[in-house]
Amino acid sequence: MTLWEKAYLPEILRGLSITTGIFLRNMARWITGRKGALTTYYPEEQRPDYAPRNRGKHILTQRPDGSPQCIACNMCATVCPAKVIEIEAGFDANDPAHPKFPVRFEIDYSRCVFCGLCIEACPEDAIRMVPATPGLPSTDRFNMWLTMDEMLTWNPHHDVAKPYPPKGGDPILRGDVSSTH
């Protein structure tokens, strides 16, 4: 390595020339009234070239009766690398198929990394991410908690992959089998 290369001067000059070229190109676009660079003024503007599998806002899928498909197993909260999901479980003795349900299900979007591991871990197809992100940006981090009601009502999905039996529908599951002898 020569002294010229050890000084990193050629690489510094090359980097400056690339940066200056991009700056001048964007400045020319701005002066002529065209948009420059990749700046999008979100949320007023949204780019149409988002990938169809873009990970945006979380939703909870619903059973036919409108209750959450979630069984409060905490798999999503356990696998979350940012530890942003909080679930408080309740118990319904009248639902033998899935006696646990979420009383409280919240996600802290100020720390969410949108990795999608929560969706992969869910055994009930209860949580999904849709491409849109309305209402997520905020200047106050305490307004970035997404509650269970918002996840159920904002963009409701009833097309769960796993069918859910109605409450008290199958007498065998309830243990109400009566003998005819």
Side-chain angles (χ1 to χ4, degrees), residues 63 65 67 92 94-98 101 164-170 174:
R63 297 176 184 159
D65 64 354
S67 62
D92 182 10
N94 295 326
D95 189 1
H98 298 107
F101 64 94
Y164 185 77
K167 283 186 178 179
D170 190 356
R174 288 193 325 233

PDB file of all heavy atoms in Angstrom, residues 63 65 67 92 94-98 101 164-170 174:
ATOM      1  N   ARG A  63     -63.131 -13.821  15.570  1.00  0.00           N
ATOM      2  CA  ARG A  63     -63.998 -14.994  15.418  1.00  0.00           C
ATOM      3  C   ARG A  63     -65.323 -14.512  14.809  1.00  0.00           C
ATOM      4  O   ARG A  63     -65.578 -13.314  14.733  1.00  0.00           O
ATOM      5  CB  ARG A  63     -64.236 -15.631  16.782  1.00  0.00           C
ATOM      6  CG  ARG A  63     -62.976 -16.150  17.395  1.00  0.00           C
ATOM      7  CD  ARG A  63     -63.224 -16.685  18.781  1.00  0.00           C
ATOM      8  NE  ARG A  63     -61.951 -17.077  19.357  1.00  0.00           N
ATOM      9  CZ  ARG A  63     -61.745 -17.199  20.647  1.00  0.00           C
ATOM     10  NH1 ARG A  63     -62.705 -16.969  21.505  1.00  0.00           N
ATOM     11  NH2 ARG A  63     -60.564 -17.559  21.097  1.00  0.00           N
ATOM     12  N   ASP A  65     -68.129 -14.292  16.066  1.00  0.00           N
ATOM     13  CA  ASP A  65     -68.911 -13.469  16.994  1.00  0.00           C
ATOM     14  C   ASP A  65     -68.267 -12.119  17.285  1.00  0.00           C
ATOM     15  O   ASP A  65     -68.782 -11.344  18.083  1.00  0.00           O
ATOM     16  CB  ASP A  65     -69.162 -14.236  18.293  1.00  0.00           C
ATOM     17  CG  ASP A  65     -67.883 -14.546  19.062  1.00  0.00           C
ATOM     18  OD1 ASP A  65     -66.781 -14.267  18.542  1.00  0.00           O
ATOM     19  OD2 ASP A  65     -67.983 -15.076  20.189  1.00  0.00           O
ATOM     20  N   SER A  67     -65.291 -11.536  18.671  1.00  0.00           N
ATOM     21  CA  SER A  67     -64.262 -11.573  19.715  1.00  0.00           C
ATOM     22  C   SER A  67     -62.908 -11.895  19.077  1.00  0.00           C
ATOM     23  O   SER A  67     -62.850 -12.450  17.974  1.00  0.00           O
ATOM     24  CB  SER A  67     -64.623 -12.621  20.772  1.00  0.00           C
ATOM     25  OG  SER A  67     -64.675 -13.904  20.187  1.00  0.00           O
ATOM     26  N   ASP A  92     -62.384 -18.168  30.376  1.00  0.00           N
ATOM     27  CA  ASP A  92     -63.807 -18.381  30.146  1.00  0.00           C
ATOM     28  C   ASP A  92     -64.079 -19.877  30.248  1.00  0.00           C
ATOM     29  O   ASP A  92     -63.747 -20.637  29.340  1.00  0.00           O
ATOM     30  CB  ASP A  92     -64.181 -17.843  28.761  1.00  0.00           C
ATOM     31  CG  ASP A  92     -65.668 -17.978  28.478  1.00  0.00           C
ATOM     32  OD1 ASP A  92     -66.427 -18.309  29.413  1.00  0.00           O
ATOM     33  OD2 ASP A  92     -66.066 -17.730  27.334  1.00  0.00           O
ATOM     34  N   ASN A  94     -66.831 -21.364  29.979  1.00  0.00           N
ATOM     35  CA  ASN A  94     -67.902 -21.793  29.065  1.00  0.00           C
ATOM     36  C   ASN A  94     -67.399 -22.037  27.648  1.00  0.00           C
ATOM     37  O   ASN A  94     -68.182 -22.395  26.782  1.00  0.00           O
ATOM     38  CB  ASN A  94     -69.006 -20.733  29.026  1.00  0.00           C
ATOM     39  CG  ASN A  94     -69.688 -20.606  30.368  1.00  0.00           C
ATOM     40  OD1 ASN A  94     -69.832 -21.590  31.083  1.00  0.00           O
ATOM     41  ND2 ASN A  94     -70.076 -19.391  30.701  1.00  0.00           N
ATOM     42  N   ASP A  95     -66.126 -21.823  27.391  1.00  0.00           N
ATOM     43  CA  ASP A  95     -65.553 -22.045  26.068  1.00  0.00           C
ATOM     44  C   ASP A  95     -64.466 -23.116  26.182  1.00  0.00           C
ATOM     45  O   ASP A  95     -63.292 -22.800  26.352  1.00  0.00           O
ATOM     46  CB  ASP A  95     -64.961 -20.732  25.544  1.00  0.00           C
ATOM     47  CG  ASP A  95     -64.545 -20.848  24.098  1.00  0.00           C
ATOM     48  OD1 ASP A  95     -64.731 -21.923  23.504  1.00  0.00           O
ATOM     49  OD2 ASP A  95     -64.040 -19.848  23.555  1.00  0.00           O
ATOM     50  N   PRO A  96     -64.855 -24.396  26.085  1.00  0.00           N
ATOM     51  CA  PRO A  96     -63.865 -25.461  26.304  1.00  0.00           C
ATOM     52  C   PRO A  96     -62.807 -25.540  25.204  1.00  0.00           C
ATOM     53  O   PRO A  96     -61.718 -26.048  25.452  1.00  0.00           O
ATOM     54  CB  PRO A  96     -64.705 -26.729  26.350  1.00  0.00           C
ATOM     55  CG  PRO A  96     -65.963 -26.394  25.654  1.00  0.00           C
ATOM     56  CD  PRO A  96     -66.183 -24.929  25.843  1.00  0.00           C
ATOM     57  N   ALA A  97     -63.101 -25.075  24.003  1.00  0.00           N
ATOM     58  CA  ALA A  97     -62.109 -25.147  22.924  1.00  0.00           C
ATOM     59  C   ALA A  97     -60.939 -24.208  23.178  1.00  0.00           C
ATOM     60  O   ALA A  97     -59.783 -24.549  22.955  1.00  0.00           O
ATOM     61  CB  ALA A  97     -62.762 -24.834  21.586  1.00  0.00           C
ATOM     62  N   HIS A  98     -61.229 -23.001  23.621  1.00  0.00           N
ATOM     63  CA  HIS A  98     -60.189 -22.004  23.902  1.00  0.00           C
ATOM     64  C   HIS A  98     -60.598 -21.218  25.148  1.00  0.00           C
ATOM     65  O   HIS A  98     -61.150 -20.121  25.043  1.00  0.00           O
ATOM     66  CB  HIS A  98     -60.013 -21.050  22.722  1.00  0.00           C
ATOM     67  CG  HIS A  98     -59.563 -21.737  21.486  1.00  0.00           C
ATOM     68  ND1 HIS A  98     -60.387 -21.944  20.416  1.00  0.00           N
ATOM     69  CD2 HIS A  98     -58.373 -22.279  21.161  1.00  0.00           C
ATOM     70  CE1 HIS A  98     -59.726 -22.583  19.475  1.00  0.00           C
ATOM     71  NE2 HIS A  98     -58.497 -22.800  19.899  1.00  0.00           N
ATOM     72  N   PHE A 101     -58.477 -16.084  26.854  1.00  0.00           N
ATOM     73  CA  PHE A 101     -58.697 -14.998  25.908  1.00  0.00           C
ATOM     74  C   PHE A 101     -57.971 -13.749  26.423  1.00  0.00           C
ATOM     75  O   PHE A 101     -57.707 -13.651  27.624  1.00  0.00           O
ATOM     76  CB  PHE A 101     -60.193 -14.717  25.720  1.00  0.00           C
ATOM     77  CG  PHE A 101     -60.875 -14.218  26.970  1.00  0.00           C
ATOM     78  CD1 PHE A 101     -61.006 -12.859  27.200  1.00  0.00           C
ATOM     79  CD2 PHE A 101     -61.353 -15.110  27.926  1.00  0.00           C
ATOM     80  CE1 PHE A 101     -61.623 -12.394  28.347  1.00  0.00           C
ATOM     81  CE2 PHE A 101     -61.958 -14.655  29.073  1.00  0.00           C
ATOM     82  CZ  PHE A 101     -62.101 -13.294  29.284  1.00  0.00           C
ATOM     83  N   TYR A 164     -63.048 -21.844  13.875  1.00  0.00           N
ATOM     84  CA  TYR A 164     -63.283 -21.803  15.312  1.00  0.00           C
ATOM     85  C   TYR A 164     -64.689 -22.310  15.607  1.00  0.00           C
ATOM     86  O   TYR A 164     -65.658 -21.793  15.064  1.00  0.00           O
ATOM     87  CB  TYR A 164     -63.116 -20.377  15.824  1.00  0.00           C
ATOM     88  CG  TYR A 164     -63.229 -20.285  17.309  1.00  0.00           C
ATOM     89  CD1 TYR A 164     -62.164 -20.675  18.115  1.00  0.00           C
ATOM     90  CD2 TYR A 164     -64.393 -19.849  17.905  1.00  0.00           C
ATOM     91  CE1 TYR A 164     -62.265 -20.624  19.472  1.00  0.00           C
ATOM     92  CE2 TYR A 164     -64.491 -19.787  19.277  1.00  0.00           C
ATOM     93  CZ  TYR A 164     -63.431 -20.177  20.052  1.00  0.00           C
ATOM     94  OH  TYR A 164     -63.534 -20.128  21.407  1.00  0.00           O
ATOM     95  N   PRO A 165     -64.847 -23.336  16.462  1.00  0.00           N
ATOM     96  CA  PRO A 165     -66.188 -23.845  16.771  1.00  0.00           C
ATOM     97  C   PRO A 165     -66.944 -22.825  17.618  1.00  0.00           C
ATOM     98  O   PRO A 165     -66.338 -22.104  18.419  1.00  0.00           O
ATOM     99  CB  PRO A 165     -65.905 -25.132  17.547  1.00  0.00           C
ATOM    100  CG  PRO A 165     -64.554 -24.947  18.131  1.00  0.00           C
ATOM    101  CD  PRO A 165     -63.804 -24.069  17.177  1.00  0.00           C
ATOM    102  N   PRO A 166     -68.251 -22.756  17.449  1.00  0.00           N
ATOM    103  CA  PRO A 166     -69.017 -21.817  18.280  1.00  0.00           C
ATOM    104  C   PRO A 166     -68.973 -22.226  19.745  1.00  0.00           C
ATOM    105  O   PRO A 166     -68.757 -23.387  20.072  1.00  0.00           O
ATOM    106  CB  PRO A 166     -70.435 -21.920  17.705  1.00  0.00           C
ATOM    107  CG  PRO A 166     -70.471 -23.224  16.997  1.00  0.00           C
ATOM    108  CD  PRO A 166     -69.080 -23.507  16.538  1.00  0.00           C
ATOM    109  N   LYS A 167     -69.187 -21.253  20.604  1.00  0.00           N
ATOM    110  CA  LYS A 167     -69.154 -21.524  22.041  1.00  0.00           C
ATOM    111  C   LYS A 167     -70.262 -22.510  22.409  1.00  0.00           C
ATOM    112  O   LYS A 167     -71.407 -22.326  22.039  1.00  0.00           O
ATOM    113  CB  LYS A 167     -69.356 -20.239  22.835  1.00  0.00           C
ATOM    114  CG  LYS A 167     -68.157 -19.369  22.892  1.00  0.00           C
ATOM    115  CD  LYS A 167     -68.392 -18.198  23.806  1.00  0.00           C
ATOM    116  CE  LYS A 167     -67.153 -17.361  23.882  1.00  0.00           C
ATOM    117  NZ  LYS A 167     -67.337 -16.203  24.745  1.00  0.00           N
ATOM    118  N   GLY A 168     -69.864 -23.552  23.117  1.00  0.00           N
ATOM    119  CA  GLY A 168     -70.826 -24.528  23.579  1.00  0.00           C
ATOM    120  C   GLY A 168     -71.467 -25.333  22.472  1.00  0.00           C
ATOM    121  O   GLY A 168     -72.515 -25.917  22.664  1.00  0.00           O
ATOM    122  N   GLY A 169     -70.897 -25.399  21.290  1.00  0.00           N
ATOM    123  CA  GLY A 169     -71.503 -26.080  20.154  1.00  0.00           C
ATOM    124  C   GLY A 169     -71.354 -27.581  20.181  1.00  0.00           C
ATOM    125  O   GLY A 169     -72.303 -28.304  19.902  1.00  0.00           O
ATOM    126  N   ASP A 170     -70.225 -28.101  20.532  1.00  0.00           N
ATOM    127  CA  ASP A 170     -69.995 -29.540  20.482  1.00  0.00           C
ATOM    128  C   ASP A 170     -70.133 -30.127  21.879  1.00  0.00           C
ATOM    129  O   ASP A 170     -69.328 -29.853  22.766  1.00  0.00           O
ATOM    130  CB  ASP A 170     -68.592 -29.806  19.933  1.00  0.00           C
ATOM    131  CG  ASP A 170     -68.366 -31.272  19.625  1.00  0.00           C
ATOM    132  OD1 ASP A 170     -69.275 -32.079  19.905  1.00  0.00           O
ATOM    133  OD2 ASP A 170     -67.281 -31.587  19.092  1.00  0.00           O
ATOM    134  N   ARG A 174     -67.705 -30.204  25.451  1.00  0.00           N
ATOM    135  CA  ARG A 174     -68.150 -29.634  26.723  1.00  0.00           C
ATOM    136  C   ARG A 174     -68.209 -30.676  27.829  1.00  0.00           C
ATOM    137  O   ARG A 174     -68.300 -30.335  28.991  1.00  0.00           O
ATOM    138  CB  ARG A 174     -69.555 -29.038  26.558  1.00  0.00           C
ATOM    139  CG  ARG A 174     -69.578 -27.781  25.774  1.00  0.00           C
ATOM    140  CD  ARG A 174     -70.918 -27.079  25.927  1.00  0.00           C
ATOM    141  NE  ARG A 174     -72.032 -27.992  26.046  1.00  0.00           N
ATOM    142  CZ  ARG A 174     -73.110 -27.948  25.280  1.00  0.00           C
ATOM    143  NH1 ARG A 174     -73.211 -27.046  24.339  1.00  0.00           N
ATOM    144  NH2 ARG A 174     -74.099 -28.788  25.457  1.00  0.00           N
TER     145      ARG A 174
END
